[in-house]
């Protein structure tokens, strides 16, 4: 055992989070309680079993070759992936991993063609709607045998996140990160700001920051997707998890008055956004926070990668965050937030998969280990390991807090573009609509909402 | 298109010596072709024709076919996928991006035709005057042409960046509260990237036109000067008409550049928020993660129909000059 009490604390948090996670599945309260029981049990077993949960079984093979398609192209995550591959080669009898790194956006855009063509054996992907879609289309290989070998290393919430609609396991979750409001501790203590817990305090803080010469809220939407994070959290706070997931899957209408309310509330904070935000990339937004020009930034934990990239450890230490403030509705209690999970999967049509299946499965087992995930996290601190046996003793305060905020959330979403269909969330869909809204937030959104619904209705059945 | 012209050209040179010959003689001449000649002709016409049908018209017809389906790039196409004219109906009535994209392509065409291309021609005329440092200026203006539009997009992306870009800092608008959002403001971003496009397009047109000007017989200009024509009169009255073949090429190139505009807008922001173009709509719908192949194909068919206008105009002109 030999766990430090700190590690135990974080593990308990993981178990608690598990009790709350229900990852896009419509679970009844009893199901959640059941999962809570399993989850704590799994954590308990993992805690007692130590690191023996990922021993090699009969389904894996050493040596040989395998191939991996990766979309991790940011310098940090690229280094992390390479570190995993190198460690796997050393641990698995010198398996030669052919690594094919493709630009993140390109990989995502061509995923359909990629999976139907001649893909690598294994690939990096997201959990949620996007994983289940390709599993349904028969383009991913189920890995129940691997999952059975490693599942004691995971909480039930993660297990739910990698199950296809057919109940089979299709992926190994390796990391996740929460979305929250980030700020610099030194800037805040200099001006004497305190964390706002409700909407009015949040807006009052914006006014104060503006008077102090800061950009209250860094906002950067050139890429189109960052605005969806704000839509997610506002809709979750105002209308609740159930309405949000139903809206994103077409079971509710975009013309609903509740959606109008989201835009109304949103327009109350847009005056405090970065000027020229439609021309800024998220990295440039992070830079405004880093350079003490902006006071707050609603983004994923990956913003810390940008702070790490600045090369100054002092900057990273100043980074802190708080959960999006309450909006005064019944849904505040859900404490819902976006916490996307990244996974590894096996393709179906890889020409080498039959020959490399043992090695590919060994790789899937390998990435399910906490030690592997920590290796990745050391390179990309914005990605928190998912395995129970991950050594949490080296987590800095920021990561511990991130684990905590997710564990307190009663509902977790995967992010707009992972919870909805890609044709709807893409640049010519919701990304464009949100930019249109943001170009004039005070507008009457009736016609815009009509366009959103008309676009949804035009899409062919998935 | 290139294929079509090369296929036409050899046929003409074969006929050229026959000009004025009697029809029956011509018939006899074909029968005089040896077996070897016949095989050679069949190969010379057959191979490009097969490639053309296979690689150009095959996919084109496939796109037309796909435009009547709602296929999403997954699984086989079954009868259920056929939706008739639904894609076209939605494109023209419900799809809010089609008409903006269409308009942006038109603005693109107008900008290149009225501003960038004349500027390129103007530079060519200036550089043709054998002034000092001509070669230096030539290289400077031509330099952007060796860059792909993707690279041009990256370069101008950095220049146009709101807070740390060169342009706002040079204008002193980077710090002020209402800084100019060159690429994010949907009212001006199209013109921002048109400036970037022109940066390259002007050099391209300049070098083409310069080559043409060099080939104009100098004695024509001398004659004009002797007759007392001014510089402007000489250019418009003598040089421009002589340059007719080059002018046609310039016009066609400009039209094609405007229709195939894609890379620079895509690099900037994936063609949204004011930078919608027909080519980008095709990409974002059918090739991206969205995989709406059917709807994307319908837009592609419309773009094909529009593209046929300058192509047919050009071809009919080429055919007429050859005939």
């Amino acid at each position: 055992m030999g766990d430090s009490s700190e590690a135990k604390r974080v593990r308990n948090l993981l178990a608690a989070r598990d009790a709350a996670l229900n990852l896009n599945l419509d679970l009844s309260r009893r199901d959640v309680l059941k999962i809570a029981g399993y989850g704590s049990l799994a954590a308990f077993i993992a805690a007692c079993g130590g690191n023996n949960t990922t021993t090699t079984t009969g389904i894996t093979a050493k040596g040989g070759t395998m191939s991996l398609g990766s979309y991790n192209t940011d310098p940090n995550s690229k280094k992390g992936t390479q570190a995993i591959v190198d460690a796997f080669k050393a641990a698995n009898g010198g398996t030669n991993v052919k690594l094919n790194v493709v630009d993140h956006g390109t990989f995502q855009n061509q995923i359909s063609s990629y999976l139907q063509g001649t893909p690598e054996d294994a690939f990096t992907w997201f959990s949620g709607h996007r994983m289940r879609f390709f599993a349904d289309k028969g383009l991913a290989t189920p890995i129940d045998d691997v999952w059975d070998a490693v599942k004691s290393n995971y909480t039930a919430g993660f297990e739910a996140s990698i199950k296809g609609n057919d109940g089979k396991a299709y992926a190994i979750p390796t990391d996740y990160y929460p979305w929250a409001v980030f700020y610099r501790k030194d800037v805040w203590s200099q001006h004497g700001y305190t964390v706002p817990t409700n909407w009015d305090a949040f807006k009052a803080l914006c006014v104060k920051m503006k008077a102090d010469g800061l950009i209250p809220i860094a906002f950067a939407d050139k890429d189109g997707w960052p605005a969806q994070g704000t839509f997610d959290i506002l809709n979750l706070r105002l209308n609740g998890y159930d309405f949000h997931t139903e809206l994103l899957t077409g079971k509710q209408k975009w013309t609903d008055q509740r959606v109008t309310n989201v835009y109304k509330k949103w327009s109350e904070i847009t005056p405090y956004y970065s000027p020229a935000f439609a021309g800024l990339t998220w990295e440039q937004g992070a830079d405004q926070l880093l350079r003490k020009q902006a006071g707050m930034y609603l983004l994923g934990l990956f913003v810390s990668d940008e702070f790490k990239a600045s090369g100054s450890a002092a900057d990273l230490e100043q980074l802190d965050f708080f959960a999006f403030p309450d909006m005064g509705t019944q849904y505040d209690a859900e404490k819902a937030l976006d916490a996307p999970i990244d996974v590894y999967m096996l393709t179906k049509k890889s020409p080498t998969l039959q020959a490399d299946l043992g090695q590919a499965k060994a790789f899937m087992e390998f990435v399910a280990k906490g030690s592997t995930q920590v290796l990745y996290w050391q390179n990309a601190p914005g990605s928190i390991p998912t395995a129970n046996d991950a050594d949490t003793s080296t987590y800095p305060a920021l990561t511990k807090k991130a684990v905590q905020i997710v564990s307190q959330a009663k509902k977790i979403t995967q992010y707009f573009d992972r919870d909805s269909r890609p044709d709807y969330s893409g640049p010519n869909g919701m990304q464009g609509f949100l930019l249109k809204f943001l170009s004039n937030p005070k507008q009457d959104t009736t016609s815009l909402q009509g366009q959103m619904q008309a676009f949804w209705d035009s899409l062919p059945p998935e | 298109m290139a294929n079509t012209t090369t296929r036409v050209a050899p046929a003409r040179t074969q006929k050229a010596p026959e000009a004025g010959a009697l029809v029956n003689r011509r018939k006899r001449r074909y029968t005089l072709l040896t077996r070897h000649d016949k095989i050679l002709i069949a190969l010379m016409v057959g191979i490009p024709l097969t490639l053309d049908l296979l690689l150009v018209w095959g996919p084109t017809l496939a796109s037309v076919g796909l435009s009547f389906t709602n296929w999403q790039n997954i699984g086989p196409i079954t009868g259920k996928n056929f939706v008739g004219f639904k894609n076209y109906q939605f494109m023209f009535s419900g799809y809010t991006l089609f008409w903006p994209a269409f308009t942006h392509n038109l603005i693109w065409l107008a900008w290149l035709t009225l501003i960038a291309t004349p500027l390129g021609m103007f530079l060519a005329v200036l550089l043709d005057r054998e002034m000092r440092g001509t070669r230096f200026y030539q290289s400077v203006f031509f330099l952007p042409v060796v860059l792909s539009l993707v690279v041009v997009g990256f370069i101008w992306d950095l220049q146009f960046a709101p807070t740390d870009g060169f342009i706002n800092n040079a204008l002193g608008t980077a710090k002020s509260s209402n800084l100019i959002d060159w690429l994010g403001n949907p009212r001006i971003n199209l013109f921002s990237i048109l400036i970037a496009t022109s940066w390259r397009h002007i050099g391209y047109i300049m070098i083409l036109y310069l080559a043409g000007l060099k080939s104009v017989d100098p004695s024509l200009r001398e004659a004009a000067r002797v007759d007392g024509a001014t510089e402007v009169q000489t250019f418009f009255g003598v040089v421009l008409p002589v340059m007719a073949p080059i002018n046609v090429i310039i016009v066609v190139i400009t039209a094609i550049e405007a229709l195939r505009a894609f890379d620079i807008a895509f690099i900037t922001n994936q063609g949204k928020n004011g930078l919608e173009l027909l080519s980008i709509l095709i990409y974002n719908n059918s090739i991206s993660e969205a995989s709406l192949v059917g709807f994307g194909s319908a837009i592609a068919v419309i773009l094909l129909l529009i593209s046929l206008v300058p192509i047919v105009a050009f071809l009919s002109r080429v055919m007429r000059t050859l005939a």
Side-chain angles (χ1 to χ4, degrees), chain B residues 230-241:
Chain B
T230 64
E231 285 277 350
V232 177
Q233 283 173 328
T234 312
F235 179 75
F236 285 103
V238 178
V239 178
L240 205 60

Side-chain angles (χ1 to χ4, degrees), chain A residues 114-170:
Chain A
Y114 172 74
L115 291 178
Q116 292 182 94
T118 53
E120 276 79 26
D121 301 329
F123 69 107
T124 50
W125 197 234
F126 319 121
S127 77
H129 180 82
R130 297 301 291 142
M131 181 204 82
R132 291 195 291 272
F133 174 76
F134 290 111
D136 281 348
K137 300 287 179 190
L139 292 172
T141 302
I143 48 166
D144 287 301
D145 43 3
V146 180
W147 184 250
D148 285 341
V150 304
K151 74 173 172 196
S152 58
N153 204 13
Y154 282 98
T155 54
F158 285 119
E159 174 156 23
S161 78
I162 53 95
K163 286 289 171 82
N165 291 328
D166 55 3
K168 290 182 181 160
Y170 280 97

Side-chain angles (χ1 to χ4, degrees), chain B:
Chain B
M1 214 172 69
N3 275 339
T4 330
T5 44
T6 47
R7 272 206 317 280
V8 173
R12 298 302 314 175
T13 45
Q14 297 249 333
K15 280 182 200 162
E18 292 294 312
L22 291 170
V23 177
N24 60 351
R25 248 197 80 199
R26 204 197 255 168
K27 264 185 191 161
R28 243 181 73 211
R29 188 186 158 274
Y30 278 112
T31 55
L32 277 175
L33 282 175
T34 63
R35 215 180 130 78
H36 179 257
D37 288 346
K38 279 182 186 163
I39 293 174
L40 199 66
I41 290 172
L43 283 176
M44 283 174 77
V45 176
I47 292 175
L49 185 69
T50 317
L51 285 177
D52 190 43
L53 287 176
L54 214 68
L55 299 177
V56 178
W57 289 103
T60 306
L61 291 178
S63 284
V64 175
L66 280 170
S67 72
F68 297 106
T69 71
N70 63 7
W71 191 55
Q72 292 177 76
N73 193 16
I74 283 197
I77 304 174
T78 60
K80 264 199 292 185
N81 288 113
F82 281 90
V83 293
F85 282 92
K86 210 180 133 201
N87 287 331
Y88 292 94
Q89 206 183 345
F90 177 66
M91 187 185 353
F92 291 120
S93 56
Y95 194 50
T96 47
L97 298 175
F98 178 76
W99 289 115
F102 185 81
T103 319
H104 296 158
N105 271 94
L106 283 186
I107 294 175
W108 203 287
L109 180 64
W111 176 284
L112 289 190
T113 322
L114 300 177
I115 297 173
T117 299
L119 256 174
M121 291 163 71
F122 181 62
L123 284 179
V125 172
L126 283 186
L127 290 176
D128 189 40
R129 291 165 56 91
E130 305 290 332
M131 53 176 157
R132 264 175 58 194
T134 298
R135 294 210 171 264
F136 173 74
Y137 292 123
Q138 239 170 327
S139 319
V140 168
F141 292 127
F142 188 67
L143 217 55
V145 184
V146 302
L147 303 172
S148 81
L149 267 174
V150 175
V151 179
V152 173
F154 277 130
I155 293 172
W156 283 85
D157 233 23
L158 297 174
Q159 311 307 317
F160 279 130
T163 47
D164 30 355
F166 172 78
I167 294 174
N168 269 347
N169 281 295
L171 293 175
T173 46
K175 290 269 185 290
S176 71
S177 54
N178 50 356
L179 74 174
I180 306 172
D181 192 357
W182 295 101
L183 297 175
N185 184 343
R187 277 194 216 111
I188 58 172
N189 57 4
L190 183 65
F191 297 96
S192 302
I193 63 167
L194 278 172
I195 289 172
T197 310
S198 310
W199 184 60
R200 182 175 178 276
H201 185 78
I202 287 172
Y204 187 30
I205 296 297
M206 178 204 75
I207 213 78
L208 277 177
Y209 213 67
L210 199 55
L213 284 173
K214 296 278 182 215
S215 67
V216 173
D217 189 349
S219 59
L220 285 174
R221 291 182 204 206
E222 272 168 42
R225 203 179 307 138
V226 169
D227 286 346
T230 64
E231 285 277 350
V232 177
Q233 283 173 328
T234 312
F235 179 75
F236 285 103
V238 178
V239 178
L240 205 60
V242 171
M243 298 267 289
I246 301 279
N247 292 338
V248 171
I249 289 176
I250 299 269
V251 168
V252 169
I253 282 178
T254 304
I256 288 174
E257 287 281 326
L259 287 170
R260 68 167 197 183
F262 174 85
D263 12 27
I264 196 161
F266 189 77
I267 282 294
T268 303
N269 68 359
Q270 282 184 291
K272 52 178 179 277
N273 195 29
L275 295 187
E276 293 87 359
L277 293 167
L278 289 176
S279 56
I280 283 180
L281 293 189
I282 297 170
Y283 177 91
N284 281 345
N285 277 296
S286 54
I287 302 169
S288 74
E289 201 188 347
S291 293
L292 296 175
V293 177
F295 185 59
S297 300
I299 306 173
V301 169
I302 298 299
L303 185 57
L304 172 75
L305 292 178
I306 299 170
S307 305
L308 281 176
V309 175
I311 291 172
V312 167
F314 173 69
L315 278 185
S316 63
R317 199 183 160 99
V318 168
M319 305 278 199
R320 210 185 312 141
T321 40
L322 283 167

Side-chain angles (χ1 to χ4, degrees), chain A residues 222-271:
Chain A
K222 187 167 173 224
D223 306 304
W225 54 263
Q228 296 177 337
T230 307
F231 180 86
D232 281 351
I233 195 72
L234 284 171
N235 198 27
L236 285 168
R237 285 280 186 281
L238 290 168
N239 303 318
Y241 171 86
D242 291 335
F243 177 77
H244 182 68
T245 46
E246 283 170 23
L247 180 67
L248 264 53
T249 48
K251 295 184 194 88
Q252 295 279 354
K253 296 279 181 216
W254 287 92
T255 45
D256 198 298
Q257 178 63 35
R258 285 172 284 187
V259 181
T260 316
N261 287 342
V262 170
Y263 292 120
K264 271 217 184 84
K265 283 285 176 192
W266 195 345
S267 71
E268 292 174 17
I269 55 167
T270 48

Side-chain angles (χ1 to χ4, degrees), chain A residues 245-402:
Chain A
T245 46
E246 283 170 23
L247 180 67
L248 264 53
T249 48
K251 295 184 194 88
Q252 295 279 354
K253 296 279 181 216
W254 287 92
T255 45
D256 198 298
Q257 178 63 35
R258 285 172 284 187
V259 181
T260 316
N261 287 342
V262 170
Y263 292 120
K264 271 217 184 84
K265 283 285 176 192
W266 195 345
S267 71
E268 292 174 17
I269 55 167
T270 48
Y272 306 109
Y273 277 173
S274 308
F277 57 76
L280 295 169
T281 63
W282 75 263
E283 289 96 337
Q284 287 167 331
D287 209 41
Q288 292 183 345
L289 191 69
L290 180 68
R291 288 199 279 176
K292 305 182 182 179
Q293 294 165 345
M296 299 179 273
Y297 194 13
L298 174 65
L299 207 74
L301 185 62
F302 54 84
V303 70
S304 60
D305 289 4
E306 204 67 9
F307 272 62
K308 190 184 181 206
S310 82
S312 151
D315 282 328
L316 190 55
E317 269 167 34
Q318 291 302 328
L319 187 66
D320 201 354
F321 63 86
F322 60 89
F324 197 81
D326 289 347
M327 306 286 293
T329 68
Q330 63 185 104
Y331 304 109
D332 287 337
E334 290 183 350
K335 303 233 168 280
L337 51 81
D338 279 325
I341 301 171
D342 294 326
V343 302
Y344 281 88
M345 294 173 73
L346 291 189
T347 59
K348 186 86 167 204
K349 306 231 158 158
S350 162
T352 52
L353 186 60
Q354 279 319 308
D356 300 345
L357 196 59
Q359 284 81 4
K361 286 186 171 172
F363 182 77
M364 298 303 261
E365 267 194 14
F366 188 74
V367 295
K369 289 183 186 187
S371 53
T372 314
Q373 296 172 4
V374 168
L375 196 63
Y376 182 75
W377 168 77
Q378 282 164 349
N379 288 287
S383 313
I384 306 170
T386 51
N388 289 333
D389 69 347
D391 178 11
T392 57
S393 60
T394 56
Y395 282 7
L398 189 74
T399 311
K400 281 176 189 154
K401 197 170 174 184

